[in-house]
Amino acid sequence: MPEAEIREADTGLRADLDLLRDAAAEGGRIAMRYFRKDPEVWMKAGSSPVSEADYAVDRYLRETLLAARPDYGWLSEETADSAARLDARRTFVVDPIDGTRAFLEGQDIWCVSVAVVDNGVSVAGVLDCPARGQVYWALQGQGAWRNGVRLRVRRPGERPEIGGPKTLIDAMPQRWRDVLERRSYIPSLAYRIAMIADGSLDATFVKPNAHDWDLAAADLILREAGGTLLNDRREQPPYAGRIVSHGALAAGSGALLGVMADVIASQAGPASGA
């Protein structure tokens, strides 16, 4: 861990980041015990799969993180939500396995996503991607890192690479559509956003109905690497509030992000600013 780089950070946040990194690493080890081992699977509402691996990681993270920070709130994809978390100053926002479909198909693009949110803003975040041997982390105001290397978004070139739903990419102005390189499907949303942070992708659209647990850690990593995630009001989405799902989003940097923000604003219609 680059202690020299973050020595000026808030002591509490540094401790939170260490806690997240340790917990996510163990969560990743737990998930790997089930990876490519045909775990038991159930279908949630909307035909979304959840496996015994998701539940095992979620249980470990919930018990470990809340034991260390009992005054923090808890918001996870695999735990029934409680309004009690709204009274907490800080909240853990967790996806035990982001990219469950990929995990179940034996693909390696999935990660354990954990973040601390303070007053709607992610302030510490970790993506642990054990099948790829990669760990991303970020601390508010202190940069983003992958395996000890500081991250920075790249400046989109003449043929920027973009991910996300075809319908939103097709809504880009013709002059952009003529030069865009469409990236093939990346099953983990958190990982896709992290790819922008590490400079291996220029931008992505996010289809409506992404949730806080998909976004909170990756958003901070992107922001600390010099990028931005925007909603249809051209604002950064808030996290851990009463509403935990979002409309269409755009992630990236520079002029390309500005055009993408225009696209999702136009798709949302005039009522979206209400």
Side-chain angles (χ1 to χ4, degrees):
M1 183 175 183
E3 291 291 344
E5 296 290 341
I6 65 170
R7 64 168 59 97
E8 300 300 326
D10 174 84
T11 301
L13 284 185
R14 288 172 54 190
D16 279 357
L17 178 61
D18 289 341
L19 175 64
L20 293 183
R21 290 187 64 198
D22 290 345
E26 180 59 24
R29 285 189 284 269
I30 293 170
M32 288 297 289
R33 296 173 196 160
Y34 297 88
F35 186 50
R36 297 172 178 165
K37 301 288 179 58
D38 194 25
E40 189 169 0
V41 178
W42 301 268
M43 299 306 293
K44 298 188 291 187
S47 70
S48 177
V50 60
S51 75
E52 58 181 320
D54 296 85
Y55 288 140
V57 176
D58 186 69
R59 182 169 55 252
Y60 166 77
L61 292 174
R62 184 172 66 252
E63 293 173 354
T64 300
L65 294 176
L66 290 180
R69 302 286 189 273
D71 57 329
Y72 283 24
W74 178 262
L75 177 63
S76 167
E77 180 173 16
E78 310 306 347
T79 304
D81 196 9
S82 169
R85 65 176 172 78
L86 298 172
D87 295 327
R89 177 191 168 199
R90 288 178 175 169
T91 299
F92 292 115
V93 180
V94 172
D95 193 341
I97 299 179
D98 185 84
T100 295
R101 289 184 186 275
F103 177 89
L104 295 174
E105 292 169 1
Q107 301 180 49
D108 63 3
I109 303 180
W110 55 271
C111 54
V112 178
S113 174
V114 289
V116 171
V117 170
D118 188 331
N119 195 29
V121 178
S122 300
V123 293
V126 176
L127 300 179
D128 195 290
C129 316
R132 292 201 152 199
Q134 297 173 336
V135 183
Y136 294 82
W137 68 89
L139 194 65
Q140 186 181 50
Q142 301 297 320
W145 310 78
R146 186 188 71 190
N147 293 7
V149 177
R150 190 156 188 167
L151 303 180
R152 193 70 188 170
V153 298
R154 69 188 186 194
R155 177 177 295 182
E158 294 181 356
R159 298 194 65 83
E161 289 185 282
I162 186 171
K166 182 177 184 298
T167 53
L168 289 171
I169 296 175
D170 286 346
M172 293 280 284
Q174 185 65 52
R175 64 186 179 85
W176 283 96
R177 294 204 309 274
D178 288 344
V179 300
L180 289 174
E181 295 283 354
R182 301 187 188 197
R183 193 65 175 258
S184 59
Y185 177 60
I186 302 164
S188 165
L189 174 55
Y191 192 86
R192 194 194 324 159
I193 294 171
M195 289 174 64
I196 304 170
D198 71 21
S200 54
L201 185 67
D202 291 297
T204 188
F205 283 110
V206 178
K207 67 182 180 181
N209 206 38
H211 289 77
D212 287 3
W213 46 77
D214 303 309
L215 301 166
D219 184 348
L220 177 63
I221 291 165
L222 175 61
R223 188 178 350 127
E224 289 295 322
T228 307
L229 180 68
L230 296 175
N231 61 24
D232 59 31
R233 295 180 297 280
R234 298 176 177 83
E235 299 170 346
Q236 295 182 12
Y239 301 117
R242 293 186 181 276
I243 298 173
V244 300
S245 63
H246 303 269
L249 303 165
S253 63
L256 175 59
L257 176 60
V259 174
M260 295 169 66
D262 289 342
V263 168
I264 58 173
S266 66
Q267 296 280 307
S272 65

